[in-house]
Amino acid sequence: MRGWLLSAVVALAGVMAVPLAKAETLTDALIAAYDNSNLLDQNRAVLRAADEDVAVAVSSLRPVVAYTLQGGWQRTDLGPVVTEDLSASLGLSAEMTLLDFGRRQIGIDIARESVLATRQALVDVEQNVLLAAVRAYVDVRLAQDVVALRQSNLRLITQELRAARDRFDVGEITRTDVSIAEARLAASRAALAAAEGQLKIAREAYKAATGAYPHRLAALPKAPALPRTMEEAQAVARATHPLLKQAQHQVTIADLQVALANANRLPTVGAGASLGLSDGGVQSQSLGLTMNQTLYGGGRLSALQRKALAGKDAARAGLQQAAVGIVQNVGVAWANLSVANASIEASDLQIRAAQAAFDGVREEAAAGTRTTLDVLNAEQELLDARNARLEAEAQRYVAVYQVLATMGLLTVDHLKLGIPTYDPESYYGAVKKAPAHSAQGKKLDRILEKIGN
């Protein structure tokens, strides 16, 4: 007996020692979304391609060295005399632009501004990825709560049907009351099936957003703090939103395009050197300067200049429109948050009133002054009120993060998720000087290997 008791105590201790599975938090979901996002990977690659445009522009400042190796065979038939000749030659040339009145430097500046604009686009993608994760997390929680609510409703209507049948057996109500309860039970089962289907849909959206299906989700944490007024939020958005910063860089690019179009009308001065060696041992060397300028190009240069001026106007208008849209989005998100808050307050009042009505109707039905239909109607109103409360709470929580996104603050750094983030300067710093085979080139290889992993 004592041995059995000791074994039981050891087994119980072992069970208690097994930790419960750690619940997934919203922070976990946000980190998973950031780490597993194919969309972020895609746009990081786009940014690296833009970084390489800087390297391409920088390379134009350097000489171009090339070699030419030629070989050939020639047969000449002069009647009675046929000759065959083999020939080979090697040429080495170097060319470099000495003066282009700023063309190449403007090209470098355009490439750098394009990098900065692409970085801001990447920040906006990051916001969208994190917002999708928040929505997915909240939707799964909401779907789970709705399923629980529908299950509770199904149990309650089952009890009501059982009570109706008992009352019918003693002659207190008619068969019609029983049929009404049976119909409501069938409708409740259909509603539960729909809620369970919605939960499956929410789980799929969660997997798409984070990379894995949800398990046990923790309760939603306290929502991040927001500015006190909509005007304060709009002021922050004007200063920080990535799309607005992207539009500002695009305006700078358009200005540079105008400067480049003007510079293309000016001459170019270059230097060239060549060294040749033929199979006969004949050597040749040359060194020269060239200067060229287009005097007439069929109106092409003028058209390109007008195109650049039109692009400048378009970029400035685009910047103004981006500011208008961002301010509008903040206002819309703020209004949605206000609506959700009002819906929660109204739902709380509705739940209290519907609960009181349901309790009263139920007691009156027991006393014979109310019908089964009255009880079921009151219960349906209470169910609708509770469901509306759940939806309003979910809407409010997502609306807070939506406001953050419209302000440009829904980022890993602002949310303080505490994880390493993608460093755009790392790759840019390795390629901005167009390395080929050097210490920088080896550093670039290490960065590429890290990105691949």
Side-chain angles (χ1 to χ4, degrees):
M1 182 66 179
R2 292 179 59 186
W4 175 86
L5 181 60
L6 179 61
S7 299
V9 170
V10 172
L12 179 60
V15 171
M16 295 180 62
V18 176
L20 293 176
K22 181 179 179 294
E24 297 178 36
T25 65
L26 178 59
T27 298
D28 295 333
L30 292 172
I31 293 174
Y34 183 82
D35 289 340
N36 300 320
S37 173
N38 296 319
L39 193 59
L40 280 174
D41 288 342
Q42 177 189 17
N43 283 271
R44 288 165 184 164
V46 170
L47 176 57
R48 293 195 297 273
D51 294 341
E52 295 293 354
D53 286 338
V54 176
V56 171
V58 168
S59 68
S60 66
L61 298 174
R62 300 171 182 171
V64 177
V65 180
Y67 74 88
T68 302
L69 180 61
Q70 292 181 330
W73 169 80
Q74 182 178 6
R75 182 177 185 276
T76 305
D77 188 351
L78 299 176
V81 180
V82 177
T83 61
E84 294 184 0
D85 295 317
L86 293 175
S87 63
S89 64
L90 174 65
L92 183 66
S93 64
E95 296 180 355
M96 183 175 182
T97 301
L98 301 178
L99 180 63
D100 63 359
F101 296 93
R103 287 186 184 87
R104 293 171 297 173
Q105 186 57 52
I106 293 174
I108 294 173
D109 294 339
I110 289 175
R112 286 174 177 168
E113 286 296 324
S114 297
V115 167
L116 297 177
T118 307
R119 287 182 185 179
Q120 295 304 320
L122 178 60
V123 174
D124 190 59
V125 172
E126 178 183 338
Q127 290 202 131
N128 293 334
V129 167
L130 296 181
L131 184 59
V134 172
R135 282 200 180 102
Y137 192 96
V138 173
D139 285 348
V140 171
R141 290 275 311 175
L142 172 62
Q144 289 174 341
D145 291 340
V146 171
V147 167
L149 186 63
R150 292 294 180 183
Q151 290 172 339
S152 176
N153 173 253
L154 181 61
R155 289 191 296 270
L156 181 59
I157 294 181
T158 300
Q159 293 174 1
E160 293 294 338
L161 176 58
R162 188 179 300 114
R165 286 172 175 169
D166 292 341
R167 294 174 65 190
F168 173 73
D169 291 340
V170 298
E172 292 183 4
I173 59 176
T174 66
R175 181 62 190 174
T176 302
D177 294 310
V178 177
S179 298
I180 291 174
E182 291 173 342
R184 287 295 178 89
L185 180 63
S188 179
R189 287 172 176 163
L192 175 58
E196 291 172 341
Q198 192 61 43
L199 176 57
K200 293 179 181 179
I201 294 173
R203 285 172 55 82
E204 292 296 334
Y206 187 95
K207 181 183 180 183
T210 66
Y213 287 114
H215 297 291
R216 189 166 66 91
L217 298 186
L220 291 171
K222 182 180 179 181
L226 294 177
R228 292 173 299 175
T229 65
M230 180 184 70
E231 289 72 21
E232 291 180 5
Q234 290 173 333
V236 172
R238 291 189 189 96
T240 64
H241 200 284
L243 291 184
L244 192 58
K245 291 182 178 180
Q246 181 187 19
Q248 291 169 347
H249 289 299
Q250 289 170 342
V251 168
T252 303
I253 291 172
D255 291 340
L256 291 170
Q257 292 286 3
V258 172
L260 181 60
N262 293 332
N264 284 334
R265 290 177 170 271
L266 301 175
T268 300
V269 178
S274 65
L275 174 65
L277 177 65
S278 66
D279 55 354
V282 178
Q283 297 183 1
S284 62
Q285 300 89 24
S286 66
L287 180 66
L289 292 175
T290 60
M291 179 176 179
N292 63 75
Q293 181 178 10
T294 301
L295 298 178
Y296 175 71
R300 179 176 180 273
L301 294 178
S302 297
L304 290 175
Q305 187 177 36
R306 293 192 299 270
K307 178 181 178 180
L309 290 172
K312 176 181 177 180
D313 294 339
R316 293 185 181 279
L319 173 60
Q320 296 298 325
Q321 186 58 37
V324 170
I326 287 169
V327 170
Q328 178 188 9
N329 291 339
V330 174
V332 171
W334 198 272
N336 288 334
L337 179 59
S338 300
V339 170
N341 286 326
S343 297
I344 290 174
E345 294 178 3
S347 297
D348 288 339
L349 295 175
Q350 184 182 3
I351 288 173
R352 287 196 293 269
Q355 184 68 59
F358 174 68
D359 293 339
V361 169
R362 203 167 170 178
E363 292 178 2
E364 292 171 2
T369 59
R370 289 283 186 171
T371 65
T372 301
L373 179 60
D374 293 332
V375 175
L376 294 174
N377 286 340
E379 193 278 333
Q380 185 64 45
E381 291 181 2
L382 177 59
L383 174 68
D384 292 342
R386 289 174 175 169
N387 192 77
R389 177 64 166 76
L390 292 174
E391 292 179 352
E393 182 64 34
Q395 179 185 357
R396 178 178 66 176
Y397 198 84
V398 174
V400 171
Y401 284 87
Q402 182 68 57
V403 172
L404 279 180
T406 59
M407 293 168 60
L409 298 180
L410 189 55
T411 62
V412 170
D413 291 337
H414 184 78
L415 295 178
K416 295 181 173 60
L417 298 183
I419 59 173
T421 57
Y422 183 80
D423 181 14
E425 284 289 347
S426 178
Y427 188 88
Y428 177 78
V431 304
K432 64 181 180 180
K433 294 183 179 180
H437 300 289
S438 62
Q440 281 184 317
K442 295 178 180 178
K443 177 183 177 183
L444 176 58
D445 291 339
R446 292 194 298 269
I447 294 174
L448 287 172
E449 182 179 357
K450 182 178 180 181
I451 292 173
N453 292 336

